[in-house]
Amino acid sequence: MSEQKLEVFNVLNFLNSGYELDDILKQGNFGTFPSAEDCINYLVENGYLAGEGGSVTAESISKKYTVAQLKELLKENGLKVSGKKQELVERLLPVLSENSGDYELTDKAKEFLEENSWIDLYMFALVAFRFDDYETYVKTSAEDDIKTALNFCDEIISRALMANQFLVFIDALSAKAHVYAYDRDYESFLDYDLQRYILGLNPIVMDSQTYATYDIINEANIINLRNVLAKFDFGSLKKRFDKIWAKSHVTNITVPKKTSYKILQKAISGADLDELNFDLKEKYFNKKFGI
């Protein structure tokens, strides 16, 4: 049910933002719904969408109309009424497609979006974590959407540190950065993404199974840093890097601070990340983690 709720919110939210229904459904992700048509039917039947519209297909026409009804519609449009049902459907398809209008969000849909506004933030920043878990957390929180999301990240970070779950820990750091970005606090976004970079090069703990598929420099992390630095002037990157390094309390150093910063500069400038990752593993990681 939660997965269906998430999908319903996404479709309605995109529609409410001005996207066309056809463009949304072309993405092919319908959650618990087998097809785009099933998704539309659910939204209409449950009072979220009103009107006639969306994608008209031969299959939908065949299901909706009897032969007698098809012939009546063909007659009304001055078209030939003889033939098998499939022939009638194909003849009527262009007419119904041309005459179809747009679905509109109902008051129920708008209330649903307002009551579940937190889902938009979940999709933006917290999708790495289970939807059910976050929904339960939201229901128990008395804070606003942003504060609730930040508290959730802090709890994940705390539990991950206690359980030595390094990947969960850095995922939560990245999520917290994105919560700040959602709130348009791009300076905090930069700080937490820098911390994610620094600790990515200096893991608190790393077992062989995790290391086997681990990218020391995360591409999405570098793209985030590059974009925010290009868009905003937050002063000296070196000074900010030094501040975040100190804040991160890096005690288990794998890549020295000076080297970490030089590599960051190269990555942001567009250096090949695969080559940088390979060099880091060869020089610093393989020996330390016993690979």
Side-chain angles (χ1 to χ4, degrees):
M1 186 63 186
S2 291
E3 185 181 355
Q4 191 174 78
K5 181 178 182 178
L6 177 60
E7 182 57 32
V8 167
F9 179 89
N10 286 336
V11 173
L12 296 179
N13 196 37
F14 278 121
L15 281 172
N16 197 43
S17 300
Y19 289 88
E20 295 294 331
L21 184 60
D22 283 352
D23 293 334
I24 299 168
L25 297 176
K26 279 176 185 174
Q27 300 301 316
N29 299 314
F30 313 112
T32 59
F33 302 106
S35 68
E37 185 179 352
D38 288 311
C39 180
I40 295 170
N41 289 340
Y42 176 89
L43 295 174
V44 172
E45 290 169 4
N46 285 273
Y48 293 112
L49 294 181
E52 295 290 333
S55 299
V56 177
T57 66
E59 181 182 4
S60 64
I61 294 172
S62 183
K63 286 182 178 180
K64 186 173 182 179
Y65 300 103
T66 64
V67 171
Q69 290 171 325
L70 289 170
K71 288 184 176 182
E72 184 63 29
L73 288 170
L74 287 166
K75 185 177 179 180
E76 290 175 4
N77 286 277
L79 297 173
K80 185 179 176 181
V81 297
S82 62
K84 297 180 179 179
K85 184 174 184 179
Q86 189 58 35
E87 293 174 310
L88 305 182
V89 168
E90 294 295 339
R91 202 175 297 145
L92 195 59
L93 179 58
V95 176
L96 293 182
S97 295
E98 183 179 345
N99 293 336
S100 64
D102 293 324
Y103 287 118
E104 294 182 354
L105 269 66
T106 63
D107 289 341
K108 179 180 178 180
K110 293 174 183 177
E111 289 174 7
F112 175 83
L113 288 175
E114 185 176 351
E115 290 171 1
N116 295 282
S117 61
W118 57 270
I119 297 179
D120 189 52
L121 175 53
Y122 169 81
M123 291 299 298
F124 184 87
L126 302 166
V127 73
F129 305 104
R130 279 170 40 87
F131 179 77
D132 287 353
D133 292 342
Y134 190 62
E135 182 177 26
T136 300
Y137 191 85
V138 167
K139 289 178 179 178
T140 62
S141 174
E143 305 285 355
D144 63 25
D145 288 350
I146 298 298
K147 185 62 176 176
T148 296
L150 291 174
N151 289 344
F152 178 79
C153 290
D154 285 339
E155 289 195 17
I156 296 291
I157 288 170
S158 179
R159 291 201 300 267
L161 287 173
M162 292 179 64
N164 286 330
Q165 296 174 322
F166 176 67
L167 294 184
V168 175
F169 167 70
I170 57 173
D171 277 348
L173 277 182
S174 181
K176 191 168 183 178
H178 280 77
V179 172
Y180 280 116
Y182 186 90
D183 197 36
R184 300 185 183 279
D185 181 354
Y186 295 109
E187 191 164 5
S188 295
F189 171 64
L190 173 60
D191 287 349
Y192 277 97
D193 252 1
L194 273 177
Q195 187 174 30
R196 190 253 180 265
Y197 167 81
I198 289 168
L199 294 174
L201 268 65
N202 297 276
I204 298 167
V205 64
M206 179 72 69
D207 56 51
S208 58
Q209 185 176 359
T210 301
Y211 183 63
T213 57
Y214 182 61
D215 285 330
I216 301 166
I217 302 175
N218 178 268
E219 182 178 8
N221 180 228
I222 294 301
I223 291 172
N224 290 336
L225 290 170
R226 185 184 296 142
N227 288 343
V228 75
L229 289 169
K231 190 171 182 179
F232 301 100
D233 181 9
F234 291 128
S236 168
L237 178 61
K238 180 63 168 61
K239 288 182 179 179
R240 186 170 294 271
F241 180 89
D242 289 345
K243 181 188 78 172
I244 300 303
W245 180 282
K247 178 182 176 181
S248 300
H249 304 293
V250 183
T251 55
N252 186 22
I253 295 176
T254 302
V255 183
K257 177 181 172 184
K258 186 175 180 180
T259 304
S260 293
Y261 182 70
K262 285 183 178 179
I263 292 169
L264 174 63
Q265 289 180 302
K266 290 180 180 179
I268 290 174
S269 298
D272 188 290
L273 298 188
D274 288 336
E275 290 183 8
L276 290 178
N277 273 315
F278 179 82
D279 291 343
L280 285 168
K281 285 189 175 184
E282 288 289 303
K283 188 170 183 179
Y284 296 102
F285 276 73
N286 287 348
K287 183 178 180 179
K288 179 171 183 177
F289 296 106
I291 307 300

